[in-house]
Amino acid sequence: MPRRLESPVPVPLPLARRIWLRAQRLDTRAPFGDGIDATRAAIEHLGYVQIDTINVIERCHHHILFSRIPEYRRADLHHAQTVEKSVFEYWTHALSYIPTRDLRFYLGDMKRYAQSPGNWYANVTPQELRRVIGLVRRSGPLSIRDIDDDVLVEKDHAWASRKPSKRALQLAFFSGRLAIAERHGMLKSYELMERHFDWDKRPRPASEAQVDEYLLDRALRAQGIVSLDSICHLSASRKPRIREIIERRVRRRTLVPVAIEETEKTEHWAAPETIESCPQTAPDLVHILSPFDPLIIQRKRLALLFGYDHRFEAYVPKEKRVHGYFALPVLVGEEIVAAIDLKTDRAAGKLLVQQWNWIGDGAAHKPAIEEELSRFEKFQLGEAEE
């Protein structure tokens, strides 16, 4: 039984890193096995896998899964979303793939979007919304390319479309009327949510208290040791409620406060069994990580535990970049040792190294990193993107 604790448990910084890597399943080569089941299992364990439009190398959702599934195939994610329907797309801190088993925790957000769409959708009229939903109802899944009778308008934003129907489709999606049934690259096909999931009745939405519990449990599973910032990433309004849940669990001894050396000013918590033992990461294991990987995306936490301040410079003027347009952190064992700016030249069939930056004494690992780059290149240039 875990011992009773009245004060924070001291945890050495290397152990805290190891626990996080273990929780992220980056401490072994193939933690989920392979095939369709591995893709579903990885997303269920992580809680979400972020989607992003940048494709100078493989899109980040495929990249994140490849980092944990060595034999990952893009078609496996397509199968999980479109055939098996074990994952769906929605907004976490960004657009992401989420386990369908967790969908009820997002129904409240969908309802809030329906009631209060916000300024981005202010120009979508009720008639336009009914029109696109009616098109899907009559015709089945469709993409914005299938709508060819729009009266084109001038863009009011760089990410907007000249087709008014695109914003109407997005609002129908965020408000839970439509689901993304299929994706080819960044082209999405929308379907009625009830028809996509073959529901007779829509699931009951989770209460706000249940959502808070879910977010805490998701973080504990995928992070090991958690802070309020790491649990509530880009959702600061939830912090007071989640702190109350943490304090209740501490009183019940299912969570303990943790003091990570050199970071004592930041409060952390963990399940007692999490900090009692954690196997070491294989020292020669190399991962070339996406800047949108769950290990990297929370920059403050990354700097706190790894001593590495990642810069995402795709939107930084070229003359001010340090690591390059799309630098990828390189993890060897339990240390980030390099940041490599890569670009895939698909026409020439090559992975191009634009810039190579060492972190600390990382140069000693160059042969192992080059071997992993070769494997990464084969993945980049393999099957066509789904």
Side-chain angles (χ1 to χ4, degrees), residues 14-236:
L15 177 58
R17 282 198 296 267
R18 190 177 307 147
I19 288 170
W20 191 14
L21 290 173
R22 174 64 178 165
Q24 279 290 305
R25 298 300 188 259
L26 290 170
D27 63 330
T28 57
R29 174 54 74 187
F32 299 106
D34 56 26
I36 294 168
D37 290 344
T39 296
R40 181 184 64 249
I43 297 172
E44 288 180 347
H45 177 82
L46 295 171
Y48 66 87
V49 168
Q50 185 171 336
I51 301 168
D52 194 80
T53 59
I54 295 176
N55 69 335
V56 291
I57 61 163
E58 184 52 88
R59 298 194 195 273
C60 69
H61 41 285
H62 293 308
H63 186 172
I64 292 166
L65 291 167
F66 171 76
S67 294
R68 293 157 176 85
I69 306 170
E71 302 303 319
Y72 171 72
R73 297 175 65 253
R74 298 161 184 83
D76 292 340
L77 181 57
H78 181 267
H79 183 94
Q81 177 178 25
T82 302
V83 181
E84 190 179 74
K85 300 174 185 176
S86 58
V87 303
F88 73 104
E89 292 187 34
Y90 202 66
W91 195 267
T92 54
H93 68 282
L95 187 64
S96 301
Y97 286 103
I98 305 167
T100 300
R101 69 179 189 185
D102 296 341
L103 190 147
R104 71 189 189 97
F105 297 108
Y106 296 86
L107 292 176
D109 287 340
M110 295 177 189
K111 183 177 180 180
R112 282 186 285 276
Y113 252 107
Q115 295 171 339
S116 181
N119 292 336
W120 179 253
Y121 299 107
N123 294 331
V124 177
T125 67
Q127 293 80 6
E128 287 172 330
L129 195 59
R130 287 195 296 269
R131 174 176 173 268
V132 296
I133 293 172
L135 284 172
V136 174
R137 180 176 290 111
R138 292 189 298 273
S139 304
L142 57 78
S143 74
I144 187 61
R145 290 182 185 173
D146 298 318
I147 300 176
D148 55 11
D149 59 349
D150 267 350
V151 177
L152 302 184
V153 299
E154 292 301 316
K155 288 187 177 186
D156 59 1
H157 190 280
W159 295 337
S161 170
R162 295 188 65 207
K163 288 187 174 183
S165 292
K166 182 173 182 179
R167 201 166 292 192
L169 283 170
Q170 290 172 332
L171 177 55
F173 162 70
F174 279 111
S175 59
R177 282 107 155 174
L178 301 180
I180 296 174
E182 190 170 13
R183 173 184 285 271
H184 292 281
M186 298 309 289
L187 181 66
K188 303 177 285 288
S189 292
Y190 297 87
E191 171 64 292
L192 299 178
M193 181 171 280
E194 280 76 7
R195 200 157 65 190
H196 174 68
F197 289 110
D198 194 24
W199 289 338
D200 293 326
K201 184 179 180 181
R202 183 172 286 233
R204 185 187 180 108
S207 68
E208 282 303 293
Q210 289 171 328
V211 173
D212 292 335
E213 297 270 3
Y214 157 74
L215 292 174
L216 173 56
D217 289 333
R218 186 184 73 180
L220 287 166
R221 182 180 67 245
Q223 298 172 12
I225 296 175
V226 301
S227 67
L228 282 174
D229 280 344
S230 75
I231 301 162
C232 304
H233 182 51
L234 300 184
S235 186

